[in-house]
Amino acid sequence: MASAGGTGPGLLLEIERERHVYEARLRARELAESLGFGLYDLAAIETAVAELATNIVRHAGRGLLLVRPRPDAAPPAALEIVARNLVPGPSTQAQQTGRREGLGIGLSGVRRLMDEVRVEYLKDGALQVTAVKWLPGRRPPVLSEPIGVIDVSARYRVEAAARPSRTDRVSADGYVVREQGGHLVAALVDVLGHGPEAAEVTRLAKEVLLQDLPLEPDELVQRLHRVLRGTRGACVAAASVTPDGRLLSWAGAGNVRLRLWHGPQATPVYLPVRPGIVGYSVEHLHPQSTPVESPACLLMVTDGVKEEALDERPADAAGVVERFSRPNDDATALIIRWG
């Protein structure tokens, strides 16, 4: 196992063989002990390092493991572990499908052992996992933040509002809205469960969509279905509007719901999605479409929004979440208007 310099007090280790896993455990423990971690946290860090290094050996064949004091925590208050595959391909699929090798705890076990875990889908096809352990009493509070990207022209008016469940400070719902070649593409993701672990799955979905957002809604959902294999899964809805604004296509699976108001009609058009869980089982997924008259309003909501919110044309997304959100679930409303 080679060790690269230039990381200050940290360790940059090449992982290629089973013996490297054992060496990485010992060296990570030594570094963590020098930062002042107690016995319980040292055991958690050592186990997490072993799992991440084992995943590299068995799923990728070769990779890098960076263990260092967290750079933005000075004086050192946290340990950061970054594991990255250097041989993408089958490794990526193996980790996405959740195949359990190594210590058998998988990424879900790493999440339980560490305070923060971020999974990134990199441009070269590899996965990078970053895990952080804070010294007792030094972890900053978790803040709620919207997990969404909106990038559209002035011809569309987009609003979004999100609220985490009352027991959490971070929402596991996510959305992406972008305009590509005149097409508007929107995706709404509701990861099963809630809290920080579910939010990490949403971040993975967002990373994938930011790299490649298919124009066809069924392709978008199928792409997420492949990426989220081995995670807790999600309910997903996707919609696409043609450049002239006259045709809406959609697809989805799970408990996300869509309604369309357009033209002079006062009643909404019901846009059904298929049963299933993206990442587990999505059967017979085919895109559907409907002609649209101006002006148009599309409402997309997650399961944390009550059904009665879909009965009337919404005034604003914040009002939908304020009036109709369920206290025990994450709630998100996404509204798109055009024409």
Side-chain angles (χ1 to χ4, degrees), residues 145-310:
E145 60 181 79
I147 306 173
V149 172
I150 297 177
D151 183 14
V152 299
S153 66
R155 64 184 298 220
Y156 293 101
R157 298 173 298 283
V158 181
E159 299 176 25
R163 171 184 289 176
S165 71
R166 63 183 176 186
T167 59
D168 296 288
R169 301 185 65 188
V170 60
S171 173
D173 293 344
Y175 54 89
V176 173
V177 184
R178 298 180 70 178
E179 191 173 357
Q180 299 180 182
H183 287 81
L184 180 92
V185 185
L188 183 63
V189 179
D190 181 0
V191 171
L192 272 64
H194 42 80
E197 290 188 7
E200 287 299 330
V201 180
T202 305
R203 287 188 174 89
L204 173 60
K206 183 184 123 177
E207 289 286 341
V208 172
L209 293 180
L210 289 180
Q211 294 176 39
D212 181 12
L213 192 64
L215 293 178
E216 297 301 326
D218 59 323
E219 293 181 10
L220 189 156
V221 178
Q222 291 288 6
R223 178 165 175 75
L224 286 181
H225 180 59
R226 293 190 295 271
V227 169
L228 296 183
R229 288 185 184 275
T231 71
R232 59 179 62 198
C235 302
V236 178
S240 175
V241 182
T242 54
D244 59 10
R246 296 181 181 179
L247 185 68
L248 171 70
S249 300
W250 78 94
N255 292 329
V256 285
R257 287 153 295 159
L258 299 86
R259 295 291 188 275
L260 172 69
W261 289 262
H262 67 117
Q265 301 181 41
T267 57
V269 179
Y270 172 69
L271 306 179
V273 299
R274 301 289 303 180
I277 300 174
V278 174
Y280 280 89
S281 60
V282 177
E283 299 180 0
H284 310 297
L285 184 65
H286 301 291
Q288 304 177 74
S289 60
T290 183
V292 178
E293 298 181 48
S294 297
C297 173
L298 174 66
L299 173 64
M300 306 171 68
V301 299
T302 61
D303 193 42
V305 176
K306 298 177 182 178
E307 192 71 23
E308 49 263 41
L310 306 171

